[in-house]
Amino acid sequence: MLNPKWLATFEHLVKTRSFTKTASQLFMTQPGVSQHVKKLEAELGENLIYREGKQFELTHAGSMLADFIANQKLQHHAFLAQLKADDAHRGAIKVACSGTMAMKLYPLLLDLQCEHPALSVSLEAAPVERIRHMLMSNDIDIGISTQRIDHPAIEEKEIGQEHLAVVVPSSHEIKEDIYASLAELGMVIHPDGKHYADLVLGRNFPERYQGVDSIKQAGYINQLAQILLPVAQGLGFTVLPASVIEQFEHVDKLKQLPLEIAISQPLFLSQKKHRKLPHRYTRVLELIHHAIATTK
């Protein structure tokens, strides 16, 4: 990196076109000014000026260096202006969350972007480990997960609860022995299915439930919006956040199974410690809380 003091001396020399004036303005000697120019020339391996008596002219390399210094100053001022100008209606919104929350939050964020087109929304549905990685690499500014990240560089707080439900076909008759009926029907598995089933079935049927592997598998699907299709067609049951059921097109073909113990899981909002969010996230946080308030 070129020495900033040498560059400042050269910048003044270009402006004044005089070694005497430059030395006077910078409280240096004329030999000191010449020494700074020579050090720059040695560093760059190029002549920067050529003398004509008491006058001098810039070489091609000298003109390029003068332009470089001017551009650096412009970039510096532009950066400071951008740093201070935190527009609440401009910039990137980068969020990662569970698939369930994405279904609720994404339409709200798109409405916000339609209202303020200078905003740019990036939303990724991701598991907690992916959210942690994206926060640490600064690929997102906010994460919403159903499990704690527990990383010293990340701060997180619980912002709500998400109710979990056992969903069965509305046409299916659930007998008095609820667990036996579920086992006979079989479970439609999905990426979070084991976690949800362990929480709900493990609490409600602790003496009989021995993990999803002990229940007949009625199918597998990894697309959140498609998980309820086989259930609606009577092919099995599944365990999902209740809010997913509410958004399903054929909700009349489903029913939630009443359980003795209602199970909810916490929702955590996470962000990088000591990294202040831009003003545009004030509205985003309001939308997140709104989405959670309707996620029961």
Side-chain angles (χ1 to χ4, degrees):
M1 181 178 291
L2 295 174
N3 188 302
K5 187 175 291 187
W6 303 345
L7 291 174
T9 301
F10 185 76
E11 179 187 16
H12 274 79
L13 184 63
V14 171
K15 287 181 180 179
T16 63
R17 293 288 174 168
S18 166
F19 280 84
T20 303
K21 290 181 180 179
T22 297
S24 175
Q25 290 178 6
L26 297 179
F27 304 100
M28 298 174 61
T29 63
Q30 291 187 45
V33 174
S34 296
Q35 187 179 40
H36 281 188
V37 174
K38 289 179 180 178
K39 286 182 176 180
L40 277 174
E41 290 178 330
E43 185 76 16
L44 294 170
E46 298 282 349
N47 290 327
L48 299 175
I49 63 174
Y50 60 87
R51 295 176 182 270
E52 292 182 344
K54 293 184 178 181
Q55 306 295 318
F56 71 87
E57 292 291 337
L58 295 178
T59 64
H60 178 65
S63 295
M64 289 182 65
L65 181 60
D67 290 342
F68 170 78
I69 294 171
N71 287 332
Q72 288 291 98
K73 292 192 73 172
L74 287 174
Q75 289 182 23
H76 176 75
H77 292 311
F79 168 73
L80 291 179
Q82 185 178 6
L83 188 65
K84 298 298 182 183
D86 187 1
D87 192 335
H89 301 146
R90 180 181 299 273
I93 296 170
K94 299 180 290 183
V95 181
C97 58
S98 67
T100 307
M101 182 55 59
M103 292 176 67
K104 284 277 189 178
L105 184 59
Y106 192 48
L108 301 178
L109 293 178
L110 288 183
D111 287 344
L112 180 63
Q113 184 173 351
C114 287
E115 185 179 352
H116 304 289
L119 293 172
S120 173
V121 172
S122 298
L123 179 67
E124 179 168 335
V128 64
E129 277 304 308
R130 172 69 176 158
I131 292 174
R132 181 194 64 78
H133 174 76
M134 294 180 77
L135 280 170
M136 293 304 299
S137 59
N138 297 323
D139 292 324
I140 58 172
D141 295 312
I142 287 177
I144 308 167
S145 61
T146 56
Q147 301 174 52
R148 285 194 178 276
I149 294 177
D150 287 330
H151 190 285
I154 294 173
E155 63 180 24
E156 51 191 338
K157 61 181 178 180
E158 185 175 333
I159 55 173
Q161 294 280 327
E162 186 174 60
H163 176 64
L164 298 177
V166 176
V167 193
V168 298
S170 59
S171 59
H172 190 78
E173 180 183 354
I174 300 296
K175 302 172 184 177
E176 185 176 349
D177 189 338
I178 295 176
Y179 187 80
S181 295
L182 292 176
E184 180 184 354
L185 185 58
M187 182 174 174
V188 177
I189 308 296
H190 55 88
D192 292 319
K194 180 183 183 304
H195 174 63
Y196 293 158
D198 288 347
L199 288 173
V200 178
L201 302 182
R203 286 287 305 280
N204 281 275
F205 309 101
E207 296 181 359
R208 302 179 67 182
Y209 177 70
Q210 298 179 6
V212 291
D213 293 337
S214 65
I215 298 178
K216 180 178 74 174
Q217 181 171 324
Y220 175 86
I221 179 71
N222 68 347
Q223 294 297 318
L224 181 65
Q226 306 296 317
I227 293 171
L228 291 173
L229 282 177
V231 179
Q233 295 181 31
L235 298 176
F237 79 93
T238 195
V239 186
L240 279 172
S243 59
V244 178
I245 306 165
E246 299 163 7
Q247 299 178 66
F248 185 61
E249 183 179 5
H250 305 292
V251 68
D252 58 307
K253 296 183 178 180
L254 307 170
K255 62 183 177 184
Q256 295 185 44
L257 196 63
L259 296 172
E260 184 176 343
I261 303 174
I263 302 296
S264 296
Q265 60 179 352
L267 290 168
F268 299 98
L269 179 72
S270 53
Q271 66 183 82
K272 205 83 166 285
K273 280 183 180 177
H274 313 302
R275 193 170 185 221
K276 183 181 177 182
L277 291 173
H279 287 164
R280 59 184 175 273
Y281 278 96
T282 300
R283 182 61 181 146
V284 172
L285 291 173
E286 291 176 357
L287 294 177
I288 288 172
H289 285 288
H290 176 76
I292 291 173
T294 58
T295 302
K296 303 297 184 183

